[in-house]
Amino acid sequence: EVQLVESGGGLIQPGGSLRLSCAASGFTVSNNYMSWVRQAPGKGLEWVSVIYSGGSTYYADSGKGRFSISRDNSKNTLYLQMNSLRAEDTAVYYCAKHYYGDYEYFHQWGQGTLVTVSS
Amino acid sequence: SYELTQPPSVSVSPGQTAVVTCSGDKLGNRYAYWYQQKPGQSPVVVIYHDSKRPSGIPERFSGSNSGTTATLTISGTQAVDEADYYCQAWDSRTNYVFGPGTKVTV
């Protein structure tokens, strides 16, 4: 059974850094396309970043230069390093697995981890 | 950048048909996807590749996509279908785009 468990969220001051983790089980992270998607309180879904199985990475404009997606194959874990955090980065961050062989959509989602950027 | 639009809300009586639309430039030339999100829960894909249902999704959910509009149809809507529904498409420049979401009230 596929499971995605996010962690690392919390309260952080503006300008600070945070690293989110997504521990995966039931499949191999490095063989799949994996994304981070966020949802601000009471708002809609916003794609943040993707890492392809080949290692290519892409970012939404909102996170370019500040966010970095990576994975640790030995731990079967996906990460999102977030630097220079702003109030508008406050959101629930979901880890999502794309359907195997299809990069276009998000097949399975974790439960999310809340990031609150506030002084 | 590529954008998708959805009506903010749709109201439907139990047992009736709910129709949620999603519009975007030449949307019919790309695949549309639909996600259901209930309060406090993670999104779940209910339609992929315009009209296909993942295993476990009830047959009352169907989809279509043509021209500039993708449509999610819920036939015989049940109270359990009350949720927010998001359409999504992939664009080579914008990557993954979501619509703003539609709240379906039963």
Side-chain angles (χ1 to χ4, degrees):
Chain A
E1 180 193 3
V2 169
Q3 278 201 319
L4 299 166
V5 179
E6 300 95 333
S7 61
L11 176 63
I12 187 77
Q13 291 190 339
S17 297
L18 210 56
R19 188 180 79 159
L20 306 182
S21 300
C22 172
S25 58
F27 72 101
T28 302
V29 166
S30 61
N31 290 345
N32 288 269
Y33 304 127
M34 300 290 297
S35 276
W36 288 97
V37 178
R38 70 183 182 183
Q39 186 171 35
K43 303 297 184 182
L45 301 170
E46 179 189 17
W47 171 74
V48 173
S49 180
V50 64
I51 183 167
Y52 286 176
S53 53
S56 298
T57 59
Y58 300 91
Y59 301 90
D61 288 345
S62 57
K64 273 179 187 173
R66 300 188 301 128
F67 293 177
S68 178
I69 191 171
S70 63
R71 64 193 181 203
D72 185 328
N73 296 346
S74 66
K75 296 182 178 179
N76 208 34
T77 298
L78 178 74
Y79 300 101
L80 183 69
Q81 177 69 42
M82 302 187 295
N83 300 326
S84 303
L85 283 162
R86 308 164 180 165
E88 53 265 37
D89 295 319
T90 294
V92 173
Y93 285 74
Y94 295 100
C95 161
K97 173 186 175 295
H98 295 241
Y99 189 78
Y100 183 75
D102 187 338
Y103 57 85
E104 286 199 7
Y105 74 105
F106 313 99
H107 188 225
Q108 282 155 309
W109 302 62
Q111 86 289 348
T113 186
L114 176 62
V115 172
T116 303
V117 184
S118 175
S119 55
Chain B
S1 62
Y2 193 75
E3 295 183 359
L4 298 171
T5 58
Q6 298 179 239
S9 62
V10 166
S11 183
V12 60
S13 300
Q16 297 305 301
T17 298
V19 176
V20 183
T21 58
C22 173
S23 297
D25 183 44
K26 298 179 182 177
L27 181 56
N29 290 350
R30 59 189 85 212
Y31 283 129
Y33 306 88
W34 290 93
Y35 302 86
Q36 175 194 69
Q37 186 181 33
K38 297 181 180 179
Q41 297 185 19
S42 303
V44 173
V45 58
V46 295
I47 293 290
Y48 69 99
H49 290 179
D50 296 337
S51 60
K52 298 180 180 178
R53 277 180 295 105
S55 60
I57 299 302
E59 289 184 7
R60 62 181 180 273
F61 288 89
S62 63
S64 63
N65 184 17
S66 180
T68 61
T69 304
T71 302
L72 171 69
T73 302
I74 312 173
S75 305
T77 308
Q78 301 179 7
V80 70
D81 300 327
E82 188 161 288
D84 293 326
Y85 291 85
Y86 295 90
C87 61
Q88 178 251 314
W90 185 83
D91 176 75
S92 60
R93 280 172 287 183
T94 314
N95 282 289
Y96 304 90
V97 181
F98 288 98
T102 297
K103 182 176 182 61
V104 172
T105 301
V106 182

